PDB file of all heavy atoms in Angstrom:
ATOM      1  N   ASN N 220      -8.976  -2.036   2.775  1.00 90.00           N
ATOM      2  CA  ASN N 220      -7.951  -2.542   2.098  1.00 90.00           C
ATOM      3  C   ASN N 220      -8.257  -3.854   1.287  1.00 90.00           C
ATOM      4  O   ASN N 220      -7.522  -4.188   0.369  1.00 90.00           O
ATOM      5  CB  ASN N 220      -6.855  -3.035   3.138  1.00 90.00           C
ATOM      6  CG  ASN N 220      -6.079  -1.941   3.689  1.00 90.00           C
ATOM      7  OD1 ASN N 220      -6.331  -0.666   3.230  1.00 90.00           O
ATOM      8  ND2 ASN N 220      -5.176  -2.110   4.666  1.00 90.00           N
ATOM      9  N   PHE N 221      -9.243  -4.512   1.765  1.00 93.00           N
ATOM     10  CA  PHE N 221      -9.739  -5.648   1.022  1.00 93.00           C
ATOM     11  C   PHE N 221      -9.927  -5.412  -0.492  1.00 93.00           C
ATOM     12  O   PHE N 221      -9.450  -6.211  -1.388  1.00 93.00           O
ATOM     13  CB  PHE N 221     -11.032  -6.323   1.543  1.00 93.00           C
ATOM     14  CG  PHE N 221     -10.825  -6.931   2.946  1.00 93.00           C
ATOM     15  CD1 PHE N 221     -11.412  -6.471   4.015  1.00 93.00           C
ATOM     16  CD2 PHE N 221      -9.860  -7.999   2.949  1.00 93.00           C
ATOM     17  CE1 PHE N 221     -11.177  -7.205   5.241  1.00 93.00           C
ATOM     18  CE2 PHE N 221      -9.696  -8.560   4.225  1.00 93.00           C
ATOM     19  CZ  PHE N 221     -10.408  -8.090   5.359  1.00 93.00           C
ATOM     20  N   TYR N 222     -10.511  -4.282  -0.734  1.00 95.00           N
ATOM     21  CA  TYR N 222     -10.949  -4.025  -2.147  1.00 95.00           C
ATOM     22  C   TYR N 222      -9.721  -3.883  -3.000  1.00 95.00           C
ATOM     23  O   TYR N 222      -9.832  -4.267  -4.125  1.00 95.00           O
ATOM     24  CB  TYR N 222     -11.710  -2.673  -2.175  1.00 95.00           C
ATOM     25  CG  TYR N 222     -13.115  -2.702  -1.557  1.00 95.00           C
ATOM     26  CD1 TYR N 222     -13.311  -2.539  -0.132  1.00 95.00           C
ATOM     27  CD2 TYR N 222     -14.096  -3.207  -2.270  1.00 95.00           C
ATOM     28  CE1 TYR N 222     -14.447  -2.694   0.377  1.00 95.00           C
ATOM     29  CE2 TYR N 222     -15.498  -3.349  -1.663  1.00 95.00           C
ATOM     30  CZ  TYR N 222     -15.684  -3.061  -0.404  1.00 95.00           C
ATOM     31  OH  TYR N 222     -16.888  -3.250   0.118  1.00 95.00           O
ATOM     32  N   ARG N 223      -8.603  -3.521  -2.398  1.00 91.00           N
ATOM     33  CA  ARG N 223      -7.460  -3.373  -3.292  1.00 91.00           C
ATOM     34  C   ARG N 223      -6.825  -4.718  -3.616  1.00 91.00           C
ATOM     35  O   ARG N 223      -5.948  -4.836  -4.387  1.00 91.00           O
ATOM     36  CB  ARG N 223      -6.318  -2.611  -2.453  1.00 91.00           C
ATOM     37  CG  ARG N 223      -6.732  -1.171  -2.173  1.00 91.00           C
ATOM     38  CD  ARG N 223      -5.566  -0.272  -1.685  1.00 91.00           C
ATOM     39  NE  ARG N 223      -6.200   0.820  -1.141  1.00 91.00           N
ATOM     40  CZ  ARG N 223      -6.151   1.286   0.131  1.00 91.00           C
ATOM     41  NH1 ARG N 223      -5.403   0.583   0.971  1.00 91.00           N
ATOM     42  NH2 ARG N 223      -6.851   2.370   0.632  1.00 91.00           N
ATOM     43  N   GLY N 224      -7.419  -5.785  -2.941  1.00 93.00           N
ATOM     44  CA  GLY N 224      -7.043  -7.133  -3.396  1.00 93.00           C
ATOM     45  C   GLY N 224      -7.668  -7.618  -4.672  1.00 93.00           C
ATOM     46  O   GLY N 224      -7.418  -8.594  -5.228  1.00 93.00           O
ATOM     47  N   PHE N 225      -8.724  -6.887  -5.111  1.00 95.00           N
ATOM     48  CA  PHE N 225      -9.493  -7.221  -6.217  1.00 95.00           C
ATOM     49  C   PHE N 225      -8.983  -6.538  -7.585  1.00 95.00           C
ATOM     50  O   PHE N 225      -8.696  -5.408  -7.378  1.00 95.00           O
ATOM     51  CB  PHE N 225     -11.032  -6.913  -6.062  1.00 95.00           C
ATOM     52  CG  PHE N 225     -11.644  -7.772  -4.902  1.00 95.00           C
ATOM     53  CD1 PHE N 225     -11.939  -7.331  -3.811  1.00 95.00           C
ATOM     54  CD2 PHE N 225     -12.064  -9.092  -5.372  1.00 95.00           C
ATOM     55  CE1 PHE N 225     -12.464  -8.056  -2.765  1.00 95.00           C
ATOM     56  CE2 PHE N 225     -12.681  -9.974  -4.372  1.00 95.00           C
ATOM     57  CZ  PHE N 225     -12.871  -9.347  -3.103  1.00 95.00           C
ATOM     58  N   ARG N 226      -9.058  -7.288  -8.672  1.00 94.00           N
ATOM     59  CA  ARG N 226      -8.927  -6.584  -9.870  1.00 94.00           C
ATOM     60  C   ARG N 226      -9.943  -5.746 -10.124  1.00 94.00           C
ATOM     61  O   ARG N 226     -11.099  -5.887  -9.475  1.00 94.00           O
ATOM     62  CB  ARG N 226      -8.878  -7.634 -11.022  1.00 94.00           C
ATOM     63  CG  ARG N 226      -7.639  -8.538 -11.073  1.00 94.00           C
ATOM     64  CD  ARG N 226      -7.737  -9.603 -11.995  1.00 94.00           C
ATOM     65  NE  ARG N 226      -8.075  -9.190 -13.246  1.00 94.00           N
ATOM     66  CZ  ARG N 226      -7.333  -9.205 -14.365  1.00 94.00           C
ATOM     67  NH1 ARG N 226      -6.286 -10.152 -14.354  1.00 94.00           N
ATOM     68  NH2 ARG N 226      -7.762  -8.846 -15.580  1.00 94.00           N
ATOM     69  N   ARG N 227      -9.768  -4.598 -10.870  1.00 94.00           N
ATOM     70  CA  ARG N 227     -10.927  -3.739 -11.100  1.00 94.00           C
ATOM     71  C   ARG N 227     -12.129  -4.376 -11.873  1.00 94.00           C
ATOM     72  O   ARG N 227     -13.262  -3.797 -11.900  1.00 94.00           O
ATOM     73  CB  ARG N 227     -10.505  -2.406 -11.844  1.00 94.00           C
ATOM     74  CG  ARG N 227      -9.420  -1.646 -10.973  1.00 94.00           C
ATOM     75  CD  ARG N 227     -10.158  -0.708 -10.166  1.00 94.00           C
ATOM     76  NE  ARG N 227      -9.161  -0.026  -9.212  1.00 94.00           N
ATOM     77  CZ  ARG N 227      -9.425   0.941  -8.318  1.00 94.00           C
ATOM     78  NH1 ARG N 227     -10.689   1.287  -8.137  1.00 94.00           N
ATOM     79  NH2 ARG N 227      -8.480   1.489  -7.606  1.00 94.00           N
TER      80      ARG N 227
END
Side-chain angles (χ1 to χ4, degrees):
Chain N
N220 285 1
F221 288 120
Y222 290 90
R223 296 194 198 117
F225 290 98
R226 291 170 53 121
R227 295 278 174 178

